[in-house]
Amino acid sequence: MKFEIAIPKSAITVICLVQSDPMLVVYTKMDGRLEEIGRTEVILNSLEPLWITKTMINYQFEIVQPLVFRIYDIDTKYHNTPVKMLNLAQQDFLGEAFCNLSEIVTKFNHSLSLNLRNGSGHALQGTMTVHAEETASSRMAVEMTFHCLNLDNKDTFSKSDPFLRVSRLSESAVAIPICKTEVINNNLNPVWRPITLTSQQYSSRDDPLLVECFDFDASGNHELMGALQTTIAQLENLYKSKAGANFYSKKGQKKLKGQLFLDTFQEKVQHTFLDYISSGFELNFMVAVDFTASNGDPRTPQSLHYIDPSGRLNSYQQAILGVSEVLQFYDKDRRFPAWGFGAKMPQGPVSHCFNLNAITNDCEVVGFEGIMSAYSSTLYSVSLSGPTLFGPVINKAAEIASHSAQYGNNRYFVLLIITDGVITDEQETKDSIVRASDLPLSILIVGVGNADFTQMRTLDADLGKRLQSSTGRVATRDIVQFVPMREVQGGQVTVVQSLLEELPGQFLEYMRTRGIKPQPPQHASAPPAYPPPPQL
């Protein structure tokens, strides 16, 4: 299940130490090009301007969002011209500053100080402070209870096993799944448990949503039982009317007899992902790399582990770099545990969980540069072998998460596993995941190469059913997101976005079900507004 969360509007205010009649222009950087998103008012004759105008920007957790701030001295003859009409080429450029939106929102007070630079990148005397505020509407959520009547049966010898999937439709009509119900077995009139959609997920009450009903199949090839397009506002009206909405066939060509009903519809305010992050909670990144022989000899260009002298990244490097670039801002010390599995050690046996940092034999490396360096050096110090086992690295990550949870609840762990093949310890892996579902841990799995990953999909509860261990225990929650790289490459949603979309939701589910709340702001005691009366 893809899950796009954390899309609040951030209001940016800026303080800057410059002179003249300054105006600030804010840009985002998309695909290497700048896109202007806002301008402030002009402050006359100020050495320390405090701009009032705020710029609205959508925060997206799963991508890096570079921001550029440029300051211009507005010529006197243009002071009566609306700022949106000003030609920047006719104004004096005073300086610029850069940061990523994640760097601002992860600060305790959502404020970040930046040094100004000139057009050549050289440091200037001026500084600026950027402050972000999360809008109140981003804390709104809607809890809904659905049921269906008269669904078409897709099974021959029994009734279908339906579940609902809700997706947000992008501007280009791409469906981005944001939530789903559980599976109701053998039932054509199912009633599901309540689901909650946050405003980060549905964006606005009038943005289009796609509700699809599927017949669950353990292979992952779920059969569509009907679909309909709606909005949050329309769903509220549907609830108030107590009427049903008909499903349609795949392309909306045929109206079906199956109908969707709402039994409950409740709007509520709740803590957001950023409430936790800005109050000191961390996402601690970990990575495990597949060094089995099926990847091919790293010295040959055909290998999935081939290090291209031209600098072109292989699939493993792309996954490491993409995920770590996003998560590094949420990990304060930026020290990341990095392991390998499936390789034969020098003068030793095959290991299914070994440290990539062979220099100090410490599992941690510094920054994503440390991961990339340790990965490259390991390729030539071990012998690729097998089989492919996930259990040992998941257990190691769970051990770290469990130990951390005993001493505090403000750290959440994210394990990235990159693999090229099918696991041979499927049941042991499921047992490990079920045990880990009680811990502050999420597992991201990237499949590289052209292997058949059908078996891997069973680890991801996106199939509709939570994992079950060999003892019959059901996972407390869904903590796995699996993405085959070949299926998303070249698409409108990147591999990293697909991997990370569910993560804030998994984080919030863990915190909310355990009653863990964000830490309150620790403001310094303010001086009294007036001096105390003199003592008699």
Side-chain angles (χ1 to χ4, degrees), residues 289-293 295-300 303-308 314-317 320 340-346 354-358 371-385:
V289 178
D290 183 338
F291 285 90
T292 55
N295 284 281
D297 188 342
R299 295 169 294 184
T300 64
S303 172
L304 293 170
H305 278 308
Y306 179 66
I307 305 295
D308 194 328
N314 65 36
S315 296
Y316 284 90
Q317 292 172 312
I320 292 170
F341 60 93
K344 186 178 184 300
M345 299 292 96
F354 58 90
N355 297 333
L356 291 188
N357 187 1
I371 302 176
M372 299 287 273
S373 175
Y375 161 71
S376 299
S377 60
T378 300
L379 280 175
Y380 303 106
S381 63
V382 300
S383 300
L384 275 56
S385 184

Side-chain angles (χ1 to χ4, degrees), residues 179-452:
C179 192
K180 71 177 185 311
T181 66
E182 76 279 13
V183 175
I184 302 294
N185 291 324
N186 200 33
N187 196 326
L188 299 179
N189 301 296
V191 180
W192 290 280
R193 291 195 295 267
I195 63 171
T196 300
L197 298 182
T198 66
S199 59
Q200 291 101 319
Q201 293 172 285
Y202 62 75
S203 293
S204 81
R205 292 174 57 86
D206 298 315
D207 281 356
L209 299 174
L210 179 66
V211 180
E212 299 167 292
C213 185
F214 290 95
D215 178 18
F216 173 80
D217 190 289
S219 69
N221 297 319
H222 312 307
E223 188 171 358
L224 183 69
M225 303 178 72
L228 60 89
Q229 185 172 321
T230 184
T231 66
I232 290 293
Q234 291 172 351
L235 289 173
E236 183 179 21
N237 292 334
L238 192 66
Y239 164 71
K240 291 178 178 178
S241 69
K242 301 301 179 185
N246 283 85
F247 283 114
Y248 289 81
S249 58
K250 186 173 184 180
K251 295 184 179 180
Q253 299 171 341
K254 179 182 177 183
K255 187 176 182 179
L256 305 175
K257 66 178 181 179
Q259 289 187 309
L260 177 73
F261 295 82
L262 266 83
D263 297 328
T264 64
F265 182 98
Q266 180 183 6
E267 289 188 290
K268 56 186 181 180
V269 178
Q270 59 186 9
H271 292 299
T272 66
F273 174 70
L274 285 182
D275 287 335
Y276 287 90
I277 295 301
S278 63
S279 71
F281 285 71
E282 292 186 58
L283 299 179
N284 295 135
F285 178 52
M286 304 181 281
V287 63
V289 178
D290 183 338
F291 285 90
T292 55
S294 54
N295 284 281
D297 188 342
R299 295 169 294 184
T300 64
Q302 294 75 29
S303 172
L304 293 170
H305 278 308
Y306 179 66
I307 305 295
D308 194 328
S310 69
R312 183 173 179 270
L313 302 181
N314 65 36
S315 296
Y316 284 90
Q317 292 172 312
Q318 290 176 37
I320 292 170
L321 184 62
V323 175
S324 59
E325 274 188 330
V326 173
L327 294 184
Q328 64 174 331
F329 299 110
Y330 303 87
D331 192 323
K332 287 186 173 59
D333 66 6
R334 301 191 183 182
R335 296 183 63 86
F336 309 134
W339 303 293
F341 60 93
K344 186 178 184 300
M345 299 292 96
Q347 293 84 44
V350 173
S351 175
H352 300 290
C353 184
F354 58 90
N355 297 333
L356 291 188
N357 187 1
I359 298 176
T360 63
N361 200 30
D362 182 1
C363 73
E364 291 187 332
V365 296
V366 179
F368 64 82
E369 303 92 347
I371 302 176
M372 299 287 273
S373 175
Y375 161 71
S376 299
S377 60
T378 300
L379 280 175
Y380 303 106
S381 63
V382 300
S383 300
L384 275 56
S385 184
T388 305
L389 307 180
F390 279 6
V393 292
I394 293 176
N395 290 338
K396 185 64 176 177
E399 178 186 335
I400 293 175
S402 177
H403 183 267
S404 174
Q406 296 175 19
Y407 295 94
N409 56 19
N410 68 333
R411 299 177 71 190
Y412 191 90
F413 294 83
V414 183
L415 171 63
L416 170 66
I417 301 177
I418 315 170
T419 184
D420 82 312
V422 178
I423 54 175
T424 54
D425 63 338
E426 181 179 2
Q427 190 56 59
E428 291 82 355
T429 296
K430 289 181 178 179
D431 291 345
S432 297
I433 293 172
V434 171
R435 288 193 299 269
S437 66
D438 286 328
L439 298 172
L441 175 67
S442 287
I443 302 171
L444 313 174
I445 304 175
V446 180
V448 299
N450 297 315
D452 181 3

